[in-house]
Amino acid sequence: MRLSLRFVLPLLLVLAGIAYAIAPLVDQLTLKWFVRDLDIRAALIANTIQEPLQEQLAAGKKAKIGAFFARITQDERLYAVGYCATDQSVALASRALPAEILCSDLTRWELPGDHLLASSQGPLHVAVKPMANELSPTGKLVLIHDMSFVTRRSEETKRYVFFFFMALAAVVSLITVVIAQLSWRGWLAGMRSLLRGEGLLRDPAAAAKMGMPEFRPIARDLQRLVRELESEHRARDESQITWTPDALRAILHGELRGDDVIVVSNREPYIHQRRGDRIEVQRPASGLVTALEPIMRACSGTWIAHGSGSADRDVVDRHDRVGVPPEKPAYQIRRVWLSAEEEAGYYYGFANEGLWPLCHIAHVRPVFRSSDWAHYVAVNRKFAKAVVSESRTRNPIVLVQDYHLALLPRMIHEELPNATVITFWHIPWPNPEAFAICPWRQEILAGLLGSSILGFHTQFHCNNFVDTVDRFMEARVDRENFTVTFRGKSTAVRRYPISVDWPPAAEVLEKPAEQCAADVRNLNTLPAGHRICIGIDRLDYTKGILERFRAVERLLELNPEWIGRFSLIQIAAPTRSSIDEYQSHEAQVRALAVRINERFGRGGRDLPLPILLKVEHHDAQQVYEYYRGADCCFVSSLHDGMNLVAKEFVAARDDERGVLILSQFTGAARELPEALIVNPYDTDQCAAALHLALSMPAAEQRDRMRLMRGLVAEFNVYRWAGRMLLDAASMRQRSHLVEAGGGPA
Ligand code: F6P
């Protein structure tokens, strides 16, 4: 309707303008016609009255002539009739001729022209016709017509012209509005369909059914344009933003208008542990926590997680919430309580004995038990309930983390269909053949496809996921846009490489690198100048700790000059220790360290040990001291989604020193090619990399480190989260647009 008014009003104005502009032309034209008519009429009258008038004149009966003229001028248009016998005489006339008409001055009315006279009686037309007779051979008849009817007619004509144009405008408008409405409906339907991602071009049948195949090419172009604009907008925004906690807050309050943000993960960022009669707060060794914690500090949302600490229940309020960080609360943890059986089945069992080895190609067989699966389903449902109860609105943004909660996205979607669920899978996604081992593969996939956005660290993992869906699900896979539509829900599969806080917190960089180097050596009773490589991991079989030890052994075999001059300090945070595979892995790691130390260790001499194994938890401050004090950092994962130790080491080295040795099987290797990239299964290559790292000149260390620091600075963890939130924001804006258009979102 608004569109119609917008169109019709200007049209009416334009046509009224045209009518107004052409009115004078119409006037001139009609005047010309009337003058010509009156000329003809005057000639006719003159001819008609010639004979009787000649008779009267011949008879010399002036009174009769006057009466004759008076009779003729009863005609409403004939104003006056006169007769001039000579140019000296006074005219005989029906009534007083206008003062301008003199017998002596008739010649001017005989010349060609319009013969119009603007007299005090109004506009008049003057015609002079020769009326010779025997008495007056130069006699002339003067016929004066009243022209006021021309003005009346002109007004009438103008009125008609105006009404004609208005009627024309109305007809044109009506036709145009009808056509526009029909087309607009078509367009709207097309646009809605496009915005819903149905895509006319991808569904030609739908376009044909809508009776508008002509829209297909336009739809295609439009769709491409929208996508280009979106990605351009994002790319531009991304590169223009300085990614800090403030930038993230600005996105939340600007693009997302302060919408509800909820993070859900199994692992909690702060664990309250009872030590005697004291309560201690522990930070878990978890890449997930490392990445998300700064985000939550910036966003002040709610983080739902398993309350696993021995004192966790003692510190929560009656809603199971506790503010963290303890020293200055910035957000809330909402704790979910699990029984020992649930934890055993869901966390140790299905998640870590099933999915973990399934997704990591680390040659450990996955174990799938139906009892574990039952717990996994039940615990996922428990988390879903917690999400619903923590949502302040019907459309929160929920960030679901990792393989523990694969069913959660669909469960949330069922309860809160307008929620935007962003799921991030922190571990690798295997190829379809490997994934097919899982007896509940379809349930896992269906669960994940409840997400609006599903993120992986690398494009390779995105590809594997989409291939897996294509193989096992009745879903529509769009490889051009990397979206999967399953049971009417579309999921965008995207690559978001995770990262670390940049710059790192001031307190972990406080101590100068040289001081850290000295302190690390003192702490481990190593001499000054002793060369140190560090390994910092959870004690997990995917981390390649055994392979790292073998590389050290090979280094000392091949380059004995390093014996007693070099040590690998391995910090191994205990993890999942109730799982058999982890227990046996720990035993193997300990045994190998002992064997290598015996082989290259003191042996009667007072030499430092080649491997210093520390199976214990270290806090961030201590870990950064090792990062900053070491000569090199060795990351030898057999398979790893990203590996944040690599990025943390780079972030810690503001002195631009230190060498990173990095497994080619980590996501990080794709972003940090300036590291020494190795195959952890190739022991000789790893030994050579160790030797190279220990002998690398300072200038080369600086050049490599600078490039790596540039990347981590530019692609920090705020950018990781910001990109997901920006994508969620444009998704939400798009669905608002569709809703505003009246269509289903
Ligand atoms: O790498 C996978 C992962 O879940 C990470 O996201 C997390 O950092 C790590 O494992 C910790 O595992 P858990 O929570 O079992 O200690």
Side-chain angles (χ1 to χ4, degrees), residues 311-417:
D312 273 0
R313 283 180 194 265
D314 303 335
V315 295
V316 294
D317 65 11
R318 65 196 173 88
H319 302 291
D320 298 323
R321 297 188 197 123
V322 58
V324 288
E327 59 288 358
K328 194 179 171 206
Y331 65 96
Q332 298 271 322
I333 298 182
R334 156 73 194 275
R335 285 178 168 146
V336 173
W337 311 115
L338 303 182
S339 67
E341 294 74 35
E342 282 175 326
E343 193 178 358
Y346 142 83
Y347 173 75
Y348 289 111
F350 193 78
N352 286 315
E353 284 191 280
L355 290 178
W356 179 267
L358 178 79
C359 292
H360 289 88
I361 308 164
H363 314 291
V364 169
R365 280 190 181 173
V367 178
F368 291 110
R369 304 178 195 94
S370 56
S371 54
D372 290 348
W373 170 249
H375 282 304
Y376 188 83
V377 175
V379 172
N380 270 252
R381 192 150 312 279
K382 218 174 208 183
F383 274 95
K385 271 196 190 139
V387 170
V388 174
S389 81
E390 289 299 323
S391 306
R392 285 180 280 116
T393 57
R394 302 294 298 162
N395 64 342
I397 296 166
V398 189
L399 305 170
V400 175
Q401 306 300 311
D402 232 347
Y403 61 99
H404 312 91
L405 301 170
L407 305 179
L408 186 58
R410 183 150 298 275
M411 290 173 176
I412 296 173
H413 180 64
E414 278 160 10
E415 294 289 325
L416 301 169

Side-chain angles (χ1 to χ4, degrees), residues 28 42 86 161 195 200 218 223 225 280 315 331 361 413 416 441 453 461 466 497 509 514 519 713 733 740:
Q28 276 178 20
T86 65
V161 168
L195 291 168
L200 296 173
I218 303 170
Q223 204 178 33
L225 192 71
E280 225 175 56
V315 295
Y331 65 96
I361 308 164
H413 180 64
L416 301 169
R441 57 184 179 239
I453 298 175
H461 299 150
V466 170
L509 298 182
E514 280 163 27
D519 288 355
Q733 276 156 13

Side-chain angles (χ1 to χ4, degrees), residues 174-422:
L174 194 73
I175 294 170
T176 315
V177 167
V178 168
I179 292 172
Q181 284 288 347
L182 289 177
S183 310
W184 182 240
R185 274 187 207 161
W187 268 101
L188 267 189
M191 281 303 289
R192 276 182 205 141
S193 161
L194 279 176
L195 291 168
R196 279 197 298 269
E198 286 163 9
L200 296 173
L201 60 153
R202 264 178 272 125
D203 193 356
K209 212 160 59 188
M210 290 164 87
M212 37 184 209
E214 71 278 13
F215 284 123
R216 252 177 278 165
I218 303 170
R220 190 182 300 123
D221 290 348
L222 211 86
Q223 204 178 33
R224 195 180 319 122
L225 192 71
V226 166
R227 292 231 164 76
E228 275 171 17
L229 283 175
E230 267 181 8
S231 61
E232 246 175 46
H233 171 77
R234 215 188 55 194
R236 194 178 55 238
D237 280 353
E238 258 186 70
S239 54
Q240 281 171 6
I241 293 172
T242 308
W243 288 99
T244 59
D246 282 342
L248 210 60
R249 266 190 288 268
I251 289 175
L252 281 167
H253 296 134
E255 309 272 332
L256 290 162
R257 293 184 232 98
D259 289 342
D260 221 1
V261 176
I262 300 172
V263 165
V264 203
S265 72
N266 170 71
R267 183 62 65 205
E268 56 182 343
Y270 293 87
I271 307 175
H272 290 86
Q273 299 285 19
R274 187 158 289 288
R275 300 265 181 261
D277 50 4
R278 276 189 325 112
I279 292 179
E280 225 175 56
V281 181
Q282 216 184 55
R283 305 292 309 281
S286 157
L288 179 159
V289 169
T290 309
L292 281 166
E293 220 272 327
I295 310 286
M296 286 308 278
R297 284 189 195 221
C299 302
S300 319
T302 302
W303 185 329
I304 302 174
H306 169 211
S308 58
S310 51
D312 273 0
R313 283 180 194 265
D314 303 335
V315 295
V316 294
D317 65 11
R318 65 196 173 88
H319 302 291
D320 298 323
R321 297 188 197 123
V322 58
V324 288
E327 59 288 358
K328 194 179 171 206
Y331 65 96
Q332 298 271 322
I333 298 182
R334 156 73 194 275
R335 285 178 168 146
V336 173
W337 311 115
L338 303 182
S339 67
E341 294 74 35
E342 282 175 326
E343 193 178 358
Y346 142 83
Y347 173 75
Y348 289 111
F350 193 78
N352 286 315
E353 284 191 280
L355 290 178
W356 179 267
L358 178 79
C359 292
H360 289 88
I361 308 164
H363 314 291
V364 169
R365 280 190 181 173
V367 178
F368 291 110
R369 304 178 195 94
S370 56
S371 54
D372 290 348
W373 170 249
H375 282 304
Y376 188 83
V377 175
V379 172
N380 270 252
R381 192 150 312 279
K382 218 174 208 183
F383 274 95
K385 271 196 190 139
V387 170
V388 174
S389 81
E390 289 299 323
S391 306
R392 285 180 280 116
T393 57
R394 302 294 298 162
N395 64 342
I397 296 166
V398 189
L399 305 170
V400 175
Q401 306 300 311
D402 232 347
Y403 61 99
H404 312 91
L405 301 170
L407 305 179
L408 186 58
R410 183 150 298 275
M411 290 173 176
I412 296 173
H413 180 64
E414 278 160 10
E415 294 289 325
L416 301 169
N418 294 324
T420 305
V421 180
I422 308 174

